[in-house]
Amino acid sequence: MRTLVPPKQSPLAVSRNDATVLPLLPSERRAAAGLALIFALRMLGLFLILPVFAIHAVELAGATPLLIGLAVGAYGLTQAMLQIPFGLLSDRIGRKPVIFAGLTLFLIGSVVAAMADSIHWVIVGRVIQGSGAVAAAIMALTADLTREEVRTRAMAGIGISIGMAFAAAMVLGPLIAGVAGLSGVFWFIAALAACGILVLWLVVPNPVRSIVHRDAEPVLSQFSGVLANRELLRLDFGIFALHVIMTSQFLALPLALNQAGFNPDHHWMVYLPVLALSVVAMVPFIILAERGGRIRGIFVGAVAMLGAASVLFYLANDHFYVLAAVLVIFFTAVNLLEATLPSIVSKVSPVASKGTAMGVYSTSQFTGAFLGGALGGWVHQVFGPEAVFLFGAAVGLIWLIVAFGMAQPAQVSSRLLRVGEVAPSEVPELQRRLLDIPGVQDAVVVAEEGVAYLKVDSSKLDSARLAAVSG
């Protein structure tokens, strides 16, 4: 297999917002596309059961609303527990062995769930699926295989692939379940895992070397600082609450559509136009948030919109067209929050601790998915499926209170500056010179990596002085 050999480059290579945007090398395109595909296949497998499980799982022996909820969210428990340890393990034994092991576990868990004749074995399969927690290792391998100045685009490709996987799952889940049943959905997920293994083997290059990338993976020594940051904790609670709401609502939404007279096999006909409309509706808000400097207002408004959608689900009862309209509101809020939360984390996190901040953020996300399934299932069992919508509204209200105290994030972006070999004694002076440049808000030079981590206000950045310092 070919390996990626980073080319010689200007020391002023930065990750984005430059006058000249460097293209990805062929090996970088291959690596970015392969890893984005692996991430998408895995997330598609995790999302596929959301639109169908609440309806089809009742056919399993021993199924109760509580156990159905546990099965939906079970993967989140092992994901939350293992994704950071797997990322740290990949620093020691290599990225590809960890990713291969994780995809193999995902495959095994899918087969266990496909062959299950009881809800209990489906839960076991979902727990095994989640134990293949390779997100951090994939991000680290992406950083190994790309230059600093194009890495942001490669990471963005992975983010886009997750959104596409969610949309595809909403459509494919009902189609596959209608033809092959719930076991067929899990067999399809097993096939996705096998495809991911083939892509890792045949497409993704081997890195020349693997090092710690503070912008892409957790660093143990940084956890105390990240966990003490109140603004980051507020955002961690946000992604936790979002996935509590989203996972719990899918325990009741398919049932509500069914009760409104829409055949479960045709639910994809609802989700497809609803998702398309929600993406269109989201775009103006994203532009206002990122370019108009209104990110706090847009964010808080989206949280309120999400909570309101949960209340409207409850009030809609069995009125199909009302449900469909509220689904547009719901998915617009979900998509908007999924897009803005990582951006705010990047702006708020300490300049050289972004990878650690994102690791804690992801752990919060998967914990939310687990508790959303477990608590949503319990509410369904004790109070009925309609009460699940009120549960989501209550979580949304708590989140709104937490989010309302959020400070307006600074209009900054993260950059990497390649500085080459720097003696430890030269680091303070280089950092001082970088901080003296107009537009540079923060700078941390890491001598062993040969890079400087920067936060910059691109509208004020003096690129000429930055080039002079770099030279």
Side-chain angles (χ1 to χ4, degrees), residues 187-431:
W187 281 120
F188 184 79
I189 295 170
L192 294 177
C195 289
I197 292 172
L198 288 175
V199 171
L200 180 68
W201 179 35
L202 298 174
V203 177
V204 179
N206 293 317
V208 173
R209 62 174 184 149
S210 294
I211 62 172
V212 175
H213 305 275
R214 295 165 187 257
D215 61 326
E217 58 182 306
V219 178
L220 277 175
S221 61
Q222 296 177 343
F223 276 100
S224 59
V226 166
L227 293 173
N229 188 313
R230 294 182 65 179
E231 288 301 314
L232 284 176
L233 290 177
R234 198 189 305 273
L235 298 169
D236 294 335
F237 179 81
I239 193 63
F240 166 83
L242 176 59
H243 281 263
V244 167
I245 294 170
M246 192 169 71
T247 306
S248 64
Q249 302 303 273
F250 272 103
L251 298 176
L253 274 172
L255 300 177
L257 287 172
N258 200 34
Q259 187 177 340
F262 213 80
N263 189 313
D265 296 348
H266 298 155
H267 281 188
W268 67 272
M269 296 181 182
V270 180
Y271 292 124
L272 182 59
V274 160
L275 283 165
L277 287 171
S278 69
V279 170
V280 172
M282 173 189 72
V283 171
F285 293 110
I286 291 290
I287 294 172
L288 278 174
E290 293 293 341
R291 297 183 184 176
R294 301 177 182 176
I295 192 165
R296 180 189 178 278
I298 297 295
F299 178 78
V300 173
V303 175
M305 189 192 307
L306 186 66
S310 296
V311 174
L312 292 172
F313 281 139
Y314 176 77
L315 297 175
N317 201 1
D318 57 353
H319 300 289
F320 169 71
Y321 290 105
V322 177
L323 276 173
V326 179
L327 273 170
V328 175
I329 299 172
F330 178 77
F331 280 121
T332 299
V334 168
N335 291 336
L336 186 55
L337 290 164
E338 288 278 15
T340 55
L341 269 166
S343 174
I344 300 173
V345 170
S346 178
K347 296 177 190 300
V348 170
S349 61
V351 65
S353 302
K354 180 182 172 184
T356 305
M358 291 305 300
V360 176
Y361 171 89
S362 296
T363 298
S364 303
Q365 171 185 328
F366 292 122
T367 303
F370 168 66
L371 287 178
L375 294 176
W378 177 79
V379 170
H380 181 181
Q381 182 158 309
V382 175
F383 301 103
E386 294 84 4
V388 177
F389 296 131
L390 294 181
F391 167 72
V395 176
L397 177 60
I398 295 170
W399 185 9
L400 183 61
I401 294 169
V402 173
F404 200 77
M406 181 178 96
Q408 174 70 24
Q411 288 293 100
V412 295
S413 59
S414 299
R415 294 197 181 192
L416 286 181
L417 182 71
R418 181 177 287 276
V419 295
E421 294 184 9
V422 179
S425 60
E426 298 173 336
V427 167
E429 173 61 18
L430 180 54
Q431 286 183 173

Side-chain angles (χ1 to χ4, degrees), residues 15 60 259:
S15 60
L60 295 166
Q259 187 177 340

Side-chain angles (χ1 to χ4, degrees), residues 28 30 37 51 64 66 87 89 98 103 144 158 168 191 212 228 246 249 255 289 302 336 367 381 425 440 457:
E28 289 173 324
R30 179 180 168 191
L37 180 58
T64 66
L66 174 59
L89 181 63
V98 168
L103 291 173
D144 284 340
I158 290 176
V212 175
M246 192 169 71
Q249 302 303 273
L255 300 177
L336 186 55
T367 303
Q381 182 158 309
S425 60
V440 175
D457 181 341

Side-chain angles (χ1 to χ4, degrees), residues 403-469:
F404 200 77
M406 181 178 96
Q408 174 70 24
Q411 288 293 100
V412 295
S413 59
S414 299
R415 294 197 181 192
L416 286 181
L417 182 71
R418 181 177 287 276
V419 295
E421 294 184 9
V422 179
S425 60
E426 298 173 336
V427 167
E429 173 61 18
L430 180 54
Q431 286 183 173
R432 184 194 63 75
R433 293 174 63 197
L434 289 168
L435 289 169
D436 283 343
I437 298 172
V440 175
Q441 303 292 321
D442 199 3
V444 173
V445 176
V446 181
E448 58 268 28
E449 297 178 31
V451 298
Y453 295 88
L454 307 178
K455 276 192 179 180
V456 302
D457 181 341
S458 297
S459 65
K460 301 176 181 177
L461 182 63
D462 188 335
S463 298
R465 284 189 60 182
L466 188 61
V469 171

